[in-house]
Amino acid sequence: MARSRKSDPEHALQAAISMFWKSGYAAVGTRQIEDEAGITRFTLQTSYGGKMALFLMAVDRYLDMFETVAPPVEPDTLDALADWFTFFLAPPVMPECMAYGCFLLNTLIEFGGASSEVNQRASRYYRLLGGRFELALEHLKRLGQLPGDFDVRQGAQLLQSSTIGLNVLIRAANSSEAGRPSIDACRSMIHGWARS
Amino acid sequence: MARSRKSDPEHALQAAISMFWKSGYAAVGTRQIEDEAGITRFTLQTSYGGKMALFLMAVDRYLDMFETVAPPVEPDTLDALADWFTFFLAPPVMPECMAYGCFLLNTLIEFGGASSEVNQRASRYYRLLGGRFELALEHLKRLGQLPGDFDVRQGAQLLQSSTIGLNVLIRAANSSEAGRPSIDACRSMIHGWARS
DNA sequence: CTTCATTCTATCCGTTCGGTTAGTTTAGCT
DNA sequence: AGCTAAACTAACCGAACGGATAGAATGAAG
């Protein structure tokens, strides 16, 4: 009854993620999407709902991926938590894009709080980053790996801020390697929490 | 011999800083610059060298301002260093723009390391942020306010990453207040360095 | 093999972009 | 006052933007 699609939606979405991740929303044109994602501008409108809709799909998919590599909620040791930061140096997913920092953080800065659609995604991101750090630290405190008077909220906040800064450093330098000093510093801080 | 200028260059530059700070480079059009900076597109070309040249002037001026409010190089106490973070909540310069985060960090993310002109400014910024943190911590160590085995490099790296993350949080929320938890966490961390 | 809904290709649309050009106004000098 | 160089105004440029339209191609159902 209907003609089958020529383009692969999954490949198109992955290409969209790569483009927007690297260049941001405004800097990617619909002609470029045609070329790299393999969909026509017509299809972009009819099947995806336009450039912004595709962009939000890309962000959502990115967050889905991030969910699988977000900080562990129940690490057994401080070391297991500290090890999470080393993932930046050997990313298990989309390693070719990691040099562009965090897609969602880049997006947050580009839109600067002006888009409610983006802001909603930001909430989800914060839950996955700061929220998980908090759960992890609470878990470690329960295990006795952290002092009884350790402030979990502030510890999580610190890890979140540092992770965000780390991603900015990586994007600015176009290299995950640029994050190494920050990563080492974070790991030291976490290990330092054990004593006292 | 020559006709005197109608527009005020200083006001134009300040307006440019505000616009680019708030919206980024690409999102500010030359027509908008005409309206808000009080210079015509013609003048933008002949006297300023175009949009990008004006933008770089704005960035340089921003860094000049930042130089006056960057972290102290010789704080007397850990508390004096910690107090620097509270400046975000009551900024002494351009308070109306602080809700947009750090102009230079926003710029770094927008260009993503693709502009050498921007990258040069980044170096200066890192010197003013991480470099000064390092000097301050070295100074405090010399004063005996920090343990003898305290790792100054990693401490400075941590403060730098956290500060960057803090600025991103502020921009995303369009409010300096959004940075308060991070600021408190940083202050606690700094104070925590005293003991042991 | 015809039918027909759907996806394709190929233009076309109005808008906005950064920058340029031609021509006018104006201030500082003799 | 008259001259001239600089700074103004206003119109224009080609290019790129996101999106829309018309018509051809196509594949599954009958």
Side-chain angles (χ1 to χ4, degrees), chain B residues 166-196:
Chain B
L166 167 59
N167 275 285
V168 172
L169 289 170
I170 288 174
R171 175 165 183 88
N174 270 321
S175 159
S176 298
E177 211 53 46
R180 192 180 285 276
S182 266
I183 291 170
D184 290 342
C186 281
R187 290 170 55 80
S188 291
M189 173 173 67
I190 292 172
H191 287 127
W193 286 341
R195 61 167 181 265
S196 108

PDB file of all heavy atoms in Angstrom, chain B residues 166-196:
ATOM      1  N   LEU B 166      30.140  25.614  38.040  1.00  0.00           N
ATOM      2  CA  LEU B 166      29.271  26.593  38.686  1.00  0.00           C
ATOM      3  C   LEU B 166      28.710  27.593  37.688  1.00  0.00           C
ATOM      4  O   LEU B 166      27.512  27.910  37.691  1.00  0.00           O
ATOM      5  CB  LEU B 166      30.103  27.296  39.767  1.00  0.00           C
ATOM      6  CG  LEU B 166      29.589  28.558  40.418  1.00  0.00           C
ATOM      7  CD1 LEU B 166      28.263  28.294  41.084  1.00  0.00           C
ATOM      8  CD2 LEU B 166      30.606  29.071  41.424  1.00  0.00           C
ATOM      9  N   ASN B 167      29.554  28.097  36.830  1.00  0.00           N
ATOM     10  CA  ASN B 167      29.118  29.069  35.836  1.00  0.00           C
ATOM     11  C   ASN B 167      28.127  28.469  34.847  1.00  0.00           C
ATOM     12  O   ASN B 167      27.193  29.144  34.403  1.00  0.00           O
ATOM     13  CB  ASN B 167      30.329  29.634  35.080  1.00  0.00           C
ATOM     14  CG  ASN B 167      30.973  30.783  35.810  1.00  0.00           C
ATOM     15  OD1 ASN B 167      30.447  31.882  35.819  1.00  0.00           O
ATOM     16  ND2 ASN B 167      32.093  30.521  36.454  1.00  0.00           N
ATOM     17  N   VAL B 168      28.333  27.208  34.522  1.00  0.00           N
ATOM     18  CA  VAL B 168      27.395  26.546  33.620  1.00  0.00           C
ATOM     19  C   VAL B 168      26.029  26.408  34.288  1.00  0.00           C
ATOM     20  O   VAL B 168      24.986  26.678  33.672  1.00  0.00           O
ATOM     21  CB  VAL B 168      27.926  25.160  33.198  1.00  0.00           C
ATOM     22  CG1 VAL B 168      26.873  24.389  32.418  1.00  0.00           C
ATOM     23  CG2 VAL B 168      29.196  25.313  32.369  1.00  0.00           C
ATOM     24  N   LEU B 169      26.041  26.022  35.552  1.00  0.00           N
ATOM     25  CA  LEU B 169      24.778  25.885  36.283  1.00  0.00           C
ATOM     26  C   LEU B 169      24.036  27.212  36.327  1.00  0.00           C
ATOM     27  O   LEU B 169      22.818  27.271  36.171  1.00  0.00           O
ATOM     28  CB  LEU B 169      25.052  25.387  37.706  1.00  0.00           C
ATOM     29  CG  LEU B 169      25.512  23.931  37.814  1.00  0.00           C
ATOM     30  CD1 LEU B 169      25.986  23.617  39.225  1.00  0.00           C
ATOM     31  CD2 LEU B 169      24.378  23.000  37.417  1.00  0.00           C
ATOM     32  N   ILE B 170      24.788  28.285  36.540  1.00  0.00           N
ATOM     33  CA  ILE B 170      24.168  29.611  36.609  1.00  0.00           C
ATOM     34  C   ILE B 170      23.548  29.975  35.264  1.00  0.00           C
ATOM     35  O   ILE B 170      22.411  30.431  35.195  1.00  0.00           O
ATOM     36  CB  ILE B 170      25.216  30.661  37.035  1.00  0.00           C
ATOM     37  CG1 ILE B 170      25.567  30.482  38.511  1.00  0.00           C
ATOM     38  CG2 ILE B 170      24.703  32.071  36.772  1.00  0.00           C
ATOM     39  CD1 ILE B 170      26.689  31.375  39.003  1.00  0.00           C
ATOM     40  N   ARG B 171      24.280  29.763  34.197  1.00  0.00           N
ATOM     41  CA  ARG B 171      23.749  30.116  32.879  1.00  0.00           C
ATOM     42  C   ARG B 171      22.511  29.301  32.538  1.00  0.00           C
ATOM     43  O   ARG B 171      21.532  29.836  32.022  1.00  0.00           O
ATOM     44  CB  ARG B 171      24.803  29.916  31.794  1.00  0.00           C
ATOM     45  CG  ARG B 171      24.227  30.156  30.403  1.00  0.00           C
ATOM     46  CD  ARG B 171      25.239  30.320  29.321  1.00  0.00           C
ATOM     47  NE  ARG B 171      24.615  30.608  28.040  1.00  0.00           N
ATOM     48  CZ  ARG B 171      24.310  31.815  27.611  1.00  0.00           C
ATOM     49  NH1 ARG B 171      24.566  32.846  28.376  1.00  0.00           N
ATOM     50  NH2 ARG B 171      23.737  32.003  26.447  1.00  0.00           N
ATOM     51  N   ALA B 172      22.565  28.018  32.833  1.00  0.00           N
ATOM     52  CA  ALA B 172      21.439  27.152  32.474  1.00  0.00           C
ATOM     53  C   ALA B 172      20.171  27.564  33.203  1.00  0.00           C
ATOM     54  O   ALA B 172      19.071  27.416  32.688  1.00  0.00           O
ATOM     55  CB  ALA B 172      21.773  25.699  32.772  1.00  0.00           C
ATOM     56  N   ALA B 173      20.336  28.094  34.411  1.00  0.00           N
ATOM     57  CA  ALA B 173      19.171  28.460  35.217  1.00  0.00           C
ATOM     58  C   ALA B 173      18.839  29.940  35.101  1.00  0.00           C
ATOM     59  O   ALA B 173      17.830  30.393  35.633  1.00  0.00           O
ATOM     60  CB  ALA B 173      19.419  28.093  36.679  1.00  0.00           C
ATOM     61  N   ASN B 174      19.707  30.687  34.418  1.00  0.00           N
ATOM     62  CA  ASN B 174      19.499  32.134  34.298  1.00  0.00           C
ATOM     63  C   ASN B 174      19.430  32.817  35.651  1.00  0.00           C
ATOM     64  O   ASN B 174      18.678  33.781  35.843  1.00  0.00           O
ATOM     65  CB  ASN B 174      18.218  32.443  33.525  1.00  0.00           C
ATOM     66  CG  ASN B 174      18.461  32.567  32.052  1.00  0.00           C
ATOM     67  OD1 ASN B 174      19.478  33.117  31.647  1.00  0.00           O
ATOM     68  ND2 ASN B 174      17.562  32.052  31.248  1.00  0.00           N
ATOM     69  N   SER B 175      20.197  32.322  36.604  1.00  0.00           N
ATOM     70  CA  SER B 175      20.144  32.897  37.950  1.00  0.00           C
ATOM     71  C   SER B 175      21.414  32.570  38.719  1.00  0.00           C
ATOM     72  O   SER B 175      21.806  31.408  38.805  1.00  0.00           O
ATOM     73  CB  SER B 175      18.933  32.356  38.698  1.00  0.00           C
ATOM     74  OG  SER B 175      19.122  32.489  40.099  1.00  0.00           O
ATOM     75  N   SER B 176      22.041  33.589  39.282  1.00  0.00           N
ATOM     76  CA  SER B 176      23.219  33.360  40.107  1.00  0.00           C
ATOM     77  C   SER B 176      22.863  32.500  41.312  1.00  0.00           C
ATOM     78  O   SER B 176      23.690  31.742  41.818  1.00  0.00           O
ATOM     79  CB  SER B 176      23.788  34.699  40.585  1.00  0.00           C
ATOM     80  OG  SER B 176      24.199  35.486  39.495  1.00  0.00           O
ATOM     81  N   GLU B 177      21.629  32.638  41.718  1.00  0.00           N
ATOM     82  CA  GLU B 177      21.174  31.899  42.899  1.00  0.00           C
ATOM     83  C   GLU B 177      21.292  30.388  42.698  1.00  0.00           C
ATOM     84  O   GLU B 177      21.487  29.636  43.656  1.00  0.00           O
ATOM     85  CB  GLU B 177      19.721  32.280  43.196  1.00  0.00           C
ATOM     86  CG  GLU B 177      19.348  32.233  44.657  1.00  0.00           C
ATOM     87  CD  GLU B 177      20.299  33.048  45.515  1.00  0.00           C
ATOM     88  OE1 GLU B 177      20.630  34.203  45.146  1.00  0.00           O
ATOM     89  OE2 GLU B 177      20.726  32.518  46.561  1.00  0.00           O
ATOM     90  N   ALA B 178      21.169  29.952  41.454  1.00  0.00           N
ATOM     91  CA  ALA B 178      21.259  28.531  41.145  1.00  0.00           C
ATOM     92  C   ALA B 178      22.634  27.972  41.487  1.00  0.00           C
ATOM     93  O   ALA B 178      22.818  26.765  41.581  1.00  0.00           O
ATOM     94  CB  ALA B 178      20.952  28.282  39.673  1.00  0.00           C
ATOM     95  N   GLY B 179      23.614  28.859  41.650  1.00  0.00           N
ATOM     96  CA  GLY B 179      24.951  28.386  41.960  1.00  0.00           C
ATOM     97  C   GLY B 179      25.218  28.232  43.439  1.00  0.00           C
ATOM     98  O   GLY B 179      26.279  27.731  43.824  1.00  0.00           O
ATOM     99  N   ARG B 180      24.261  28.641  44.252  1.00  0.00           N
ATOM    100  CA  ARG B 180      24.514  28.654  45.702  1.00  0.00           C
ATOM    101  C   ARG B 180      24.947  27.294  46.263  1.00  0.00           C
ATOM    102  O   ARG B 180      25.941  27.214  46.996  1.00  0.00           O
ATOM    103  CB  ARG B 180      23.285  29.174  46.454  1.00  0.00           C
ATOM    104  CG  ARG B 180      23.568  29.497  47.906  1.00  0.00           C
ATOM    105  CD  ARG B 180      22.323  29.996  48.605  1.00  0.00           C
ATOM    106  NE  ARG B 180      21.950  31.371  48.270  1.00  0.00           N
ATOM    107  CZ  ARG B 180      22.473  32.448  48.854  1.00  0.00           C
ATOM    108  NH1 ARG B 180      23.408  32.312  49.776  1.00  0.00           N
ATOM    109  NH2 ARG B 180      22.070  33.648  48.524  1.00  0.00           N
ATOM    110  N   PRO B 181      24.242  26.201  45.939  1.00  0.00           N
ATOM    111  CA  PRO B 181      24.681  24.906  46.484  1.00  0.00           C
ATOM    112  C   PRO B 181      26.128  24.589  46.106  1.00  0.00           C
ATOM    113  O   PRO B 181      26.901  24.102  46.949  1.00  0.00           O
ATOM    114  CB  PRO B 181      23.707  23.912  45.853  1.00  0.00           C
ATOM    115  CG  PRO B 181      22.504  24.709  45.506  1.00  0.00           C
ATOM    116  CD  PRO B 181      23.000  26.073  45.151  1.00  0.00           C
ATOM    117  N   SER B 182      26.485  24.857  44.871  1.00  0.00           N
ATOM    118  CA  SER B 182      27.861  24.597  44.444  1.00  0.00           C
ATOM    119  C   SER B 182      28.841  25.493  45.181  1.00  0.00           C
ATOM    120  O   SER B 182      29.937  25.059  45.557  1.00  0.00           O
ATOM    121  CB  SER B 182      28.002  24.825  42.936  1.00  0.00           C
ATOM    122  OG  SER B 182      27.831  23.619  42.230  1.00  0.00           O
ATOM    123  N   ILE B 183      28.460  26.736  45.375  1.00  0.00           N
ATOM    124  CA  ILE B 183      29.329  27.670  46.085  1.00  0.00           C
ATOM    125  C   ILE B 183      29.551  27.198  47.511  1.00  0.00           C
ATOM    126  O   ILE B 183      30.683  27.161  48.007  1.00  0.00           O
ATOM    127  CB  ILE B 183      28.712  29.087  46.053  1.00  0.00           C
ATOM    128  CG1 ILE B 183      28.764  29.634  44.628  1.00  0.00           C
ATOM    129  CG2 ILE B 183      29.426  30.009  47.027  1.00  0.00           C
ATOM    130  CD1 ILE B 183      27.972  30.908  44.429  1.00  0.00           C
ATOM    131  N   ASP B 184      28.474  26.807  48.173  1.00  0.00           N
ATOM    132  CA  ASP B 184      28.599  26.313  49.540  1.00  0.00           C
ATOM    133  C   ASP B 184      29.501  25.084  49.590  1.00  0.00           C
ATOM    134  O   ASP B 184      30.333  24.940  50.489  1.00  0.00           O
ATOM    135  CB  ASP B 184      27.216  25.968  50.104  1.00  0.00           C
ATOM    136  CG  ASP B 184      26.382  27.224  50.358  1.00  0.00           C
ATOM    137  OD1 ASP B 184      26.980  28.322  50.417  1.00  0.00           O
ATOM    138  OD2 ASP B 184      25.159  27.110  50.479  1.00  0.00           O
ATOM    139  N   ALA B 185      29.333  24.208  48.606  1.00  0.00           N
ATOM    140  CA  ALA B 185      30.140  22.987  48.578  1.00  0.00           C
ATOM    141  C   ALA B 185      31.620  23.324  48.395  1.00  0.00           C
ATOM    142  O   ALA B 185      32.492  22.730  49.041  1.00  0.00           O
ATOM    143  CB  ALA B 185      29.650  22.058  47.467  1.00  0.00           C
ATOM    144  N   CYS B 186      31.905  24.277  47.525  1.00  0.00           N
ATOM    145  CA  CYS B 186      33.298  24.684  47.314  1.00  0.00           C
ATOM    146  C   CYS B 186      33.890  25.267  48.588  1.00  0.00           C
ATOM    147  O   CYS B 186      35.026  24.948  48.960  1.00  0.00           O
ATOM    148  CB  CYS B 186      33.381  25.714  46.182  1.00  0.00           C
ATOM    149  SG  CYS B 186      33.284  25.002  44.534  1.00  0.00           S
ATOM    150  N   ARG B 187      33.122  26.111  49.231  1.00  0.00           N
ATOM    151  CA  ARG B 187      33.613  26.728  50.466  1.00  0.00           C
ATOM    152  C   ARG B 187      33.887  25.664  51.534  1.00  0.00           C
ATOM    153  O   ARG B 187      34.911  25.714  52.234  1.00  0.00           O
ATOM    154  CB  ARG B 187      32.601  27.756  50.967  1.00  0.00           C
ATOM    155  CG  ARG B 187      32.512  28.992  50.080  1.00  0.00           C
ATOM    156  CD  ARG B 187      31.344  29.892  50.459  1.00  0.00           C
ATOM    157  NE  ARG B 187      31.365  30.296  51.858  1.00  0.00           N
ATOM    158  CZ  ARG B 187      32.115  31.273  52.343  1.00  0.00           C
ATOM    159  NH1 ARG B 187      32.892  31.953  51.517  1.00  0.00           N
ATOM    160  NH2 ARG B 187      32.076  31.572  53.623  1.00  0.00           N
ATOM    161  N   SER B 188      32.984  24.702  51.633  1.00  0.00           N
ATOM    162  CA  SER B 188      33.199  23.626  52.603  1.00  0.00           C
ATOM    163  C   SER B 188      34.462  22.839  52.280  1.00  0.00           C
ATOM    164  O   SER B 188      35.256  22.496  53.165  1.00  0.00           O
ATOM    165  CB  SER B 188      31.995  22.671  52.596  1.00  0.00           C
ATOM    166  OG  SER B 188      30.856  23.305  53.121  1.00  0.00           O
ATOM    167  N   MET B 189      34.647  22.572  50.990  1.00  0.00           N
ATOM    168  CA  MET B 189      35.836  21.810  50.591  1.00  0.00           C
ATOM    169  C   MET B 189      37.101  22.556  50.987  1.00  0.00           C
ATOM    170  O   MET B 189      38.025  21.978  51.563  1.00  0.00           O
ATOM    171  CB  MET B 189      35.820  21.579  49.081  1.00  0.00           C
ATOM    172  CG  MET B 189      37.095  20.943  48.543  1.00  0.00           C
ATOM    173  SD  MET B 189      36.984  20.491  46.805  1.00  0.00           S
ATOM    174  CE  MET B 189      36.860  22.090  46.023  1.00  0.00           C
ATOM    175  N   ILE B 190      37.128  23.844  50.691  1.00  0.00           N
ATOM    176  CA  ILE B 190      38.312  24.642  51.014  1.00  0.00           C
ATOM    177  C   ILE B 190      38.577  24.639  52.514  1.00  0.00           C
ATOM    178  O   ILE B 190      39.707  24.420  52.963  1.00  0.00           O
ATOM    179  CB  ILE B 190      38.125  26.083  50.492  1.00  0.00           C
ATOM    180  CG1 ILE B 190      38.117  26.089  48.960  1.00  0.00           C
ATOM    181  CG2 ILE B 190      39.230  26.992  51.024  1.00  0.00           C
ATOM    182  CD1 ILE B 190      37.757  27.431  48.346  1.00  0.00           C
ATOM    183  N   HIS B 191      37.549  24.853  53.284  1.00  0.00           N
ATOM    184  CA  HIS B 191      37.724  24.846  54.736  1.00  0.00           C
ATOM    185  C   HIS B 191      38.171  23.477  55.226  1.00  0.00           C
ATOM    186  O   HIS B 191      38.944  23.363  56.176  1.00  0.00           O
ATOM    187  CB  HIS B 191      36.423  25.268  55.436  1.00  0.00           C
ATOM    188  CG  HIS B 191      36.143  26.738  55.308  1.00  0.00           C
ATOM    189  ND1 HIS B 191      34.935  27.231  54.828  1.00  0.00           N
ATOM    190  CD2 HIS B 191      36.900  27.823  55.552  1.00  0.00           C
ATOM    191  CE1 HIS B 191      34.989  28.549  54.804  1.00  0.00           C
ATOM    192  NE2 HIS B 191      36.161  28.937  55.235  1.00  0.00           N
ATOM    193  N   GLY B 192      37.665  22.433  54.544  1.00  0.00           N
ATOM    194  CA  GLY B 192      38.040  21.081  54.941  1.00  0.00           C
ATOM    195  C   GLY B 192      39.519  20.796  54.736  1.00  0.00           C
ATOM    196  O   GLY B 192      40.091  19.928  55.395  1.00  0.00           O
ATOM    197  N   TRP B 193      40.138  21.548  53.827  1.00  0.00           N
ATOM    198  CA  TRP B 193      41.560  21.320  53.566  1.00  0.00           C
ATOM    199  C   TRP B 193      42.428  21.694  54.760  1.00  0.00           C
ATOM    200  O   TRP B 193      43.569  21.252  54.860  1.00  0.00           O
ATOM    201  CB  TRP B 193      42.005  22.140  52.352  1.00  0.00           C
ATOM    202  CG  TRP B 193      41.507  21.563  51.074  1.00  0.00           C
ATOM    203  CD1 TRP B 193      41.071  20.301  50.863  1.00  0.00           C
ATOM    204  CD2 TRP B 193      41.393  22.245  49.818  1.00  0.00           C
ATOM    205  NE1 TRP B 193      40.689  20.136  49.555  1.00  0.00           N
ATOM    206  CE2 TRP B 193      40.882  21.312  48.891  1.00  0.00           C
ATOM    207  CE3 TRP B 193      41.680  23.544  49.379  1.00  0.00           C
ATOM    208  CZ2 TRP B 193      40.645  21.639  47.556  1.00  0.00           C
ATOM    209  CZ3 TRP B 193      41.449  23.865  48.042  1.00  0.00           C
ATOM    210  CH2 TRP B 193      40.940  22.923  47.152  1.00  0.00           C
ATOM    211  N   ALA B 194      41.907  22.517  55.650  1.00  0.00           N
ATOM    212  CA  ALA B 194      42.696  22.989  56.796  1.00  0.00           C
ATOM    213  C   ALA B 194      43.065  21.850  57.728  1.00  0.00           C
ATOM    214  O   ALA B 194      44.216  21.688  58.112  1.00  0.00           O
ATOM    215  CB  ALA B 194      41.918  24.060  57.560  1.00  0.00           C
ATOM    216  N   ARG B 195      42.094  21.048  58.094  1.00  0.00           N
ATOM    217  CA  ARG B 195      42.357  19.963  59.054  1.00  0.00           C
ATOM    218  C   ARG B 195      43.159  18.838  58.409  1.00  0.00           C
ATOM    219  O   ARG B 195      43.417  18.841  57.218  1.00  0.00           O
ATOM    220  CB  ARG B 195      41.033  19.451  59.619  1.00  0.00           C
ATOM    221  CG  ARG B 195      40.085  18.872  58.599  1.00  0.00           C
ATOM    222  CD  ARG B 195      38.952  18.119  59.310  1.00  0.00           C
ATOM    223  NE  ARG B 195      38.034  17.539  58.356  1.00  0.00           N
ATOM    224  CZ  ARG B 195      36.916  18.126  57.951  1.00  0.00           C
ATOM    225  NH1 ARG B 195      36.579  19.310  58.427  1.00  0.00           N
ATOM    226  NH2 ARG B 195      36.125  17.535  57.071  1.00  0.00           N
ATOM    227  N   SER B 196      43.507  17.903  59.178  1.00  0.00           N
ATOM    228  CA  SER B 196      44.383  16.768  58.836  1.00  0.00           C
ATOM    229  C   SER B 196      45.829  17.099  59.147  1.00  0.00           C
ATOM    230  O   SER B 196      46.183  18.190  59.484  1.00  0.00           O
ATOM    231  CB  SER B 196      44.282  16.311  57.390  1.00  0.00           C
ATOM    232  OG  SER B 196      45.432  16.670  56.656  1.00  0.00           O
TER     233      SER B 196
END
